[in-house]
Amino acid sequence: MSTMIPFDNEKQHDSDVNELTIANDEPPAEVEWYRSTLVQVVIVGMTSFLAPGAYSSLASVGAGGLANVNIGNASVALAYALIVPSALCATACLSKLGARYSLSLGAAGYVFYAAALYQNSATGNQGFLIAGAIICGATSGIFWVTEAAVTMLYSEPQYKGRHLAIWQSLFQLATCIGGAINLGLNIDLDQTGGLKPKTFLVFVGLNAIAPICALLLSNPKQVQRKDHLPVPAFPAEPFFKEVWLTVLELRDPRIIAWSCFLWSQSLFIPSWTSTYLAIHFSVRVRGLTSLITPLLTILTLAFVGSVLDVKTLTVRYKLVITWSFLQILGLGSAIWLLVMQVRQSTESVPPTWDWGTPGFAAAWVPYLFSFAASWTSYGFFYYMATYCFPQEASGARTTRIIATLRSAESGSAAIAFGINSINVPLHHIGYINLVFIIVCLFCGAYVLQWIWKNDKRGAYTEVILPVEPVPAAIH
């Protein structure tokens, strides 16, 4: 039989997130499948599928699926505003509750918001909508930080690109399945307006399962990696000290001058584009859109993930290729949408499109590309972030940095959806978004040149030696 070597995961360390994968003179331990990093990423992905992914199915039809665009955008803005403090407190929750229970607690809030959307759609109840947005915002920040920290810190260095793509693809798959539900239940609605109330009940059920799924996650000490190194240490300081340490990360100029802007791009732009979708397209087209956009995003995620895992390319070339592709896609679609909206602003009656309306494709396709660019960038920036603090970020500090970034992105989304909840011409909001994209281009170029210099100095050199279980000897 093969020699079994125990995993010493009781001794957590604060090694750099880009730790070397080293060879061992002894045969590697055989990984128990349910403790493997792949299974943990799938659990995180499935929880994301059931919680934010199911909600995203409603968000992808614009305004949370409601007929009143301003009310829908205002409730989303409130939820995102509350994610700002909850994300900053997430590392403290991780310290006290651990990864498993933090993920479950963070997922629990989505069911209240989905139920509130149903009530508003069916009865016009706005009080419950506000309460649901508050509960969802107060817990979602914990979920967002935990899922990102687990995916990036549990994974072996050579599998991070692959695991990132799996995590984000499961999230997008929820939007795809939810889109099929949206389309199937609303296919007869060829006018603008809200989804049928019964549509929301499906997502209430999915959201209710998410906290249970999260409880399947293994805590860091239980995880078994193929490189048989322990998972980098998660936050472990007292509650208020953790909150303070997270806030102190905002002193770093790279977080303020770069990360907060670059990271926020993925959530700032969709508020503008989803409002465009809700105003100008029929209900069944909105349902079809929520089916098509995640499929396109999964394809772009697969492309980006495959490039990031190419071992013959250096870190700097992989990041420049993938970032440039995403920025060209995002900027091109934004300009296309803005041109369409400027033309529409001169018309006495705002145009509405169904899939049989002339000019439908030209108005609809740029939204698809913009969605794919935004959400693929969302996952891609996690990978880039691991190379922004290569020598100084322990596992605990990496989690705190993620918390500040998720707080910043939520703040930007709250501002964006707040702007879209008031009566401002859509093409004027488009100008704001285009300026923001251009600012982010300079921010991205700045950090890429910083990573480029570090990579040339050998800061990211990784000795990748894949470790596979030794098969049992044949007697």
Side-chain angles (χ1 to χ4, degrees), residues 142-157:
I142 301 170
F143 180 86
W144 286 12
V145 173
T146 303
E147 65 166 350
V150 167
T151 302
M152 299 313 297
L153 296 183
Y154 278 25
S155 299
E156 300 90 342

Side-chain angles (χ1 to χ4, degrees), residues 108-183:
Y110 284 92
V111 66
F112 295 97
Y113 190 50
L117 288 171
Y118 165 72
Q119 276 290 305
N120 183 266
S121 177
T123 67
N125 186 334
Q126 294 189 27
F128 188 23
L129 186 63
I130 294 171
I134 291 172
I135 295 171
C136 186
T139 57
S140 294
I142 301 170
F143 180 86
W144 286 12
V145 173
T146 303
E147 65 166 350
V150 167
T151 302
M152 299 313 297
L153 296 183
Y154 278 25
S155 299
E156 300 90 342
Q158 67 268 41
Y159 299 132
K160 278 182 183 175
R162 184 185 310 172
H163 288 177
L164 186 147
I166 291 171
W167 165 44
Q168 288 294 299
S169 293
L170 284 170
F171 171 83
Q172 293 299 332
L173 182 61
T175 310
C176 181
I177 294 175
I181 295 169
N182 289 336
L183 179 60

Side-chain angles (χ1 to χ4, degrees), residues 240-261:
F240 290 107
K241 184 177 180 180
E242 268 300 337
V243 175
W244 179 241
L245 289 173
T246 300
V247 173
L248 286 180
E249 292 296 341
L250 293 171
R251 298 178 304 174
D252 193 308
R254 271 176 286 167
I255 293 179
I256 296 298
W258 162 69
S259 302
C260 289
F261 283 96

